[in-house]
Amino acid sequence: MCVEAIPPPSSALTRRGVLAGAAALAGTVAAAGQATAAGADRGAASGRRTPGATARVGHLVIHGGTLLDPATGEVTEDAVVVIEDGTVRAAGRRGGVTVPQGFEVLDAHGRWILPGLVDAHIHLSTAAEARDAVRKGATSARSGSASFYQDIAVRELARHSPALAPRLKAAGVFVTPNLGDTVLADPDLTPLARLKDGVRSAEALRRVVDVNLARGADVIKTRVNERAGLPEQDPLAQVYSREQLAEIVAAARRGGKGVLCHSYSEQGCHDAVMAGIRSLEHGAFVGERTLREMRRRGTYFTPTLTAIAGLAESSDPILAERGRTYLPILKRAVIAAHELGVPLAAGTDSSGGAVDPIGGEVELMHSAGLSPLDAIRTATTGAARLLGLTRTAGRLTRGYAGDALLLSGDPLADLSVLKRPVGVVRAGVVAA
Ligand SMILES: [Zn+2]
């Protein structure tokens, strides 16, 4: 794609703004080189592309494919999607849609067209991971934290170079008892290194949330239980009480933000939900009383089945055993949640260089018992609502973002096609 002039720094230039801006610009320069190289390779897109006379970035017509609207389940054959300046201007059956002249055209004959997917839990710390997430179908995402605020720079990268990163809700650093090296992520976090017990007092918890808010986080990430992915930790051990979680939620709310909470044990899940979190992450042992409370409050469930299925494949015997034990329990929790009416969001929990396709999480949601359409909704309309993108992501209809996937077959018949999109459009730009 064509990279426009680098936007000037924000007029409200603060020390934090300078730091975030420097990171964003560093990412842009590296990524812009890759984008130019990729743009020259016109064979990268799967569909046949006809450049438009005006060839304006963000203007694109996708035509000839079968369009699925996850909101209604409606399927439109021989469809046309007109994207102008990165936003859908019109979508529907060919003949019923006015096709403008001079736009680049992407031929989707024989393909299915879906809105770009949403990964509601992913860790993006490098430009390569951000680009990979888009190529694998996640055109919008919510960060599950980044050690040094890289996710905030990724969010800015996505704003000016949408083909290079998903539209992102950034979480900043994890609110966790032991920050480790993350105390170096911001000078205002360094005093926390002195605390013998780690980040546990109301004041320390507020400090981490406040630094995140000052750095521009969109959401706050915390935990109630230890980690499943480390063999020496017991994921059922609780690290924060309901009162401590309520402190984090209150601090986030003062900044107008919601909290996502890593949870495993039923007591931990219950305390997190009662403390007022916005979404429960992992949640393998969540019980019915907590699910009913989630239904009542509208708390989301992001089970990250991909991550637990990944544990089962681990070469570490403790982790492999944990994954094999947890996966069927988590699937039962997912279908119980769905049947009770708890909103579900798809998230891969990808981190550390390996980006899992969000389509794989949709497939796992289906294997837990959701219908194909309901499974697709967890990565489109459902997750979009959780991210506050109700009128932006999850559908391809007038006014929504011009983010689309081209698939090799009917996802309602075989969801595995979602894992390997044959084309990805991000804000009207062919990204893969
Ligand atoms: Zn995570």
Side-chain angles (χ1 to χ4, degrees), residues 356-368:
D356 294 303
I358 183 61
E361 183 72 10
V362 175
E363 216 180 3
L364 284 163
M365 290 277 194
H366 175 52
S367 78

PDB file of all heavy atoms in Angstrom, residues 356-368:
ATOM      1  N   ASP A 356      -1.575 -17.440  16.405  1.00  0.00           N
ATOM      2  CA  ASP A 356      -2.532 -18.478  16.004  1.00  0.00           C
ATOM      3  C   ASP A 356      -3.678 -17.815  15.246  1.00  0.00           C
ATOM      4  O   ASP A 356      -4.134 -16.744  15.635  1.00  0.00           O
ATOM      5  CB  ASP A 356      -3.099 -19.182  17.244  1.00  0.00           C
ATOM      6  CG  ASP A 356      -2.040 -19.966  17.994  1.00  0.00           C
ATOM      7  OD1 ASP A 356      -1.425 -20.847  17.364  1.00  0.00           O
ATOM      8  OD2 ASP A 356      -1.807 -19.680  19.183  1.00  0.00           O
ATOM      9  N   PRO A 357      -4.174 -18.470  14.190  1.00  0.00           N
ATOM     10  CA  PRO A 357      -5.289 -17.868  13.450  1.00  0.00           C
ATOM     11  C   PRO A 357      -6.546 -17.815  14.309  1.00  0.00           C
ATOM     12  O   PRO A 357      -6.886 -18.815  14.963  1.00  0.00           O
ATOM     13  CB  PRO A 357      -5.471 -18.793  12.246  1.00  0.00           C
ATOM     14  CG  PRO A 357      -4.842 -20.086  12.637  1.00  0.00           C
ATOM     15  CD  PRO A 357      -3.770 -19.776  13.646  1.00  0.00           C
ATOM     16  N   ILE A 358      -7.207 -16.691  14.311  1.00  0.00           N
ATOM     17  CA  ILE A 358      -8.426 -16.549  15.096  1.00  0.00           C
ATOM     18  C   ILE A 358      -9.521 -17.494  14.585  1.00  0.00           C
ATOM     19  O   ILE A 358     -10.397 -17.909  15.347  1.00  0.00           O
ATOM     20  CB  ILE A 358      -8.871 -15.059  15.124  1.00  0.00           C
ATOM     21  CG1 ILE A 358     -10.101 -14.853  16.004  1.00  0.00           C
ATOM     22  CG2 ILE A 358      -9.090 -14.506  13.731  1.00  0.00           C
ATOM     23  CD1 ILE A 358      -9.905 -15.212  17.455  1.00  0.00           C
ATOM     24  N   GLY A 359      -9.428 -17.881  13.321  1.00  0.00           N
ATOM     25  CA  GLY A 359     -10.382 -18.863  12.783  1.00  0.00           C
ATOM     26  C   GLY A 359     -10.312 -20.192  13.517  1.00  0.00           C
ATOM     27  O   GLY A 359     -11.313 -20.918  13.615  1.00  0.00           O
ATOM     28  N   GLY A 360      -9.148 -20.528  14.070  1.00  0.00           N
ATOM     29  CA  GLY A 360      -9.008 -21.767  14.835  1.00  0.00           C
ATOM     30  C   GLY A 360      -9.820 -21.710  16.117  1.00  0.00           C
ATOM     31  O   GLY A 360     -10.385 -22.719  16.563  1.00  0.00           O
ATOM     32  N   GLU A 361      -9.904 -20.516  16.723  1.00  0.00           N
ATOM     33  CA  GLU A 361     -10.703 -20.362  17.944  1.00  0.00           C
ATOM     34  C   GLU A 361     -12.197 -20.536  17.616  1.00  0.00           C
ATOM     35  O   GLU A 361     -12.947 -21.120  18.395  1.00  0.00           O
ATOM     36  CB  GLU A 361     -10.449 -18.986  18.575  1.00  0.00           C
ATOM     37  CG  GLU A 361     -11.167 -18.745  19.894  1.00  0.00           C
ATOM     38  CD  GLU A 361     -10.598 -19.546  21.086  1.00  0.00           C
ATOM     39  OE1 GLU A 361      -9.526 -20.156  20.943  1.00  0.00           O
ATOM     40  OE2 GLU A 361     -11.258 -19.551  22.143  1.00  0.00           O
ATOM     41  N   VAL A 362     -12.596 -20.038  16.451  1.00  0.00           N
ATOM     42  CA  VAL A 362     -13.993 -20.207  16.024  1.00  0.00           C
ATOM     43  C   VAL A 362     -14.302 -21.698  15.871  1.00  0.00           C
ATOM     44  O   VAL A 362     -15.354 -22.184  16.309  1.00  0.00           O
ATOM     45  CB  VAL A 362     -14.236 -19.445  14.699  1.00  0.00           C
ATOM     46  CG1 VAL A 362     -15.643 -19.719  14.177  1.00  0.00           C
ATOM     47  CG2 VAL A 362     -14.021 -17.939  14.899  1.00  0.00           C
ATOM     48  N   GLU A 363     -13.364 -22.418  15.268  1.00  0.00           N
ATOM     49  CA  GLU A 363     -13.544 -23.861  15.089  1.00  0.00           C
ATOM     50  C   GLU A 363     -13.677 -24.568  16.449  1.00  0.00           C
ATOM     51  O   GLU A 363     -14.512 -25.452  16.628  1.00  0.00           O
ATOM     52  CB  GLU A 363     -12.313 -24.394  14.341  1.00  0.00           C
ATOM     53  CG  GLU A 363     -12.616 -25.485  13.369  1.00  0.00           C
ATOM     54  CD  GLU A 363     -11.349 -25.968  12.653  1.00  0.00           C
ATOM     55  OE1 GLU A 363     -10.226 -25.498  12.943  1.00  0.00           O
ATOM     56  OE2 GLU A 363     -11.511 -26.838  11.791  1.00  0.00           O
ATOM     57  N   LEU A 364     -12.855 -24.143  17.419  1.00  0.00           N
ATOM     58  CA  LEU A 364     -12.929 -24.746  18.756  1.00  0.00           C
ATOM     59  C   LEU A 364     -14.242 -24.395  19.453  1.00  0.00           C
ATOM     60  O   LEU A 364     -14.796 -25.212  20.192  1.00  0.00           O
ATOM     61  CB  LEU A 364     -11.727 -24.300  19.598  1.00  0.00           C
ATOM     62  CG  LEU A 364     -10.403 -24.995  19.234  1.00  0.00           C
ATOM     63  CD1 LEU A 364      -9.203 -24.225  19.798  1.00  0.00           C
ATOM     64  CD2 LEU A 364     -10.395 -26.440  19.766  1.00  0.00           C
ATOM     65  N   MET A 365     -14.745 -23.174  19.234  1.00  0.00           N
ATOM     66  CA  MET A 365     -16.052 -22.804  19.808  1.00  0.00           C
ATOM     67  C   MET A 365     -17.125 -23.758  19.266  1.00  0.00           C
ATOM     68  O   MET A 365     -18.011 -24.205  19.998  1.00  0.00           O
ATOM     69  CB  MET A 365     -16.416 -21.365  19.415  1.00  0.00           C
ATOM     70  CG  MET A 365     -15.559 -20.300  20.090  1.00  0.00           C
ATOM     71  SD  MET A 365     -16.179 -19.914  21.748  1.00  0.00           S
ATOM     72  CE  MET A 365     -15.261 -18.393  22.067  1.00  0.00           C
ATOM     73  N   HIS A 366     -17.018 -24.062  17.970  1.00  0.00           N
ATOM     74  CA  HIS A 366     -17.971 -24.999  17.357  1.00  0.00           C
ATOM     75  C   HIS A 366     -17.802 -26.391  17.971  1.00  0.00           C
ATOM     76  O   HIS A 366     -18.796 -27.061  18.283  1.00  0.00           O
ATOM     77  CB  HIS A 366     -17.739 -25.017  15.845  1.00  0.00           C
ATOM     78  CG  HIS A 366     -18.575 -26.026  15.118  1.00  0.00           C
ATOM     79  ND1 HIS A 366     -19.941 -26.113  15.260  1.00  0.00           N
ATOM     80  CD2 HIS A 366     -18.227 -27.011  14.240  1.00  0.00           C
ATOM     81  CE1 HIS A 366     -20.405 -27.090  14.494  1.00  0.00           C
ATOM     82  NE2 HIS A 366     -19.382 -27.661  13.874  1.00  0.00           N
ATOM     83  N   SER A 367     -16.552 -26.803  18.184  1.00  0.00           N
ATOM     84  CA  SER A 367     -16.316 -28.140  18.759  1.00  0.00           C
ATOM     85  C   SER A 367     -16.837 -28.216  20.195  1.00  0.00           C
ATOM     86  O   SER A 367     -17.112 -29.292  20.712  1.00  0.00           O
ATOM     87  CB  SER A 367     -14.836 -28.516  18.681  1.00  0.00           C
ATOM     88  OG  SER A 367     -14.115 -27.860  19.699  1.00  0.00           O
ATOM     89  N   ALA A 368     -16.995 -27.048  20.855  1.00  0.00           N
ATOM     90  CA  ALA A 368     -17.566 -27.028  22.210  1.00  0.00           C
ATOM     91  C   ALA A 368     -19.092 -27.144  22.175  1.00  0.00           C
ATOM     92  O   ALA A 368     -19.717 -27.323  23.221  1.00  0.00           O
ATOM     93  CB  ALA A 368     -17.153 -25.744  22.928  1.00  0.00           C
TER      94      ALA A 368
END
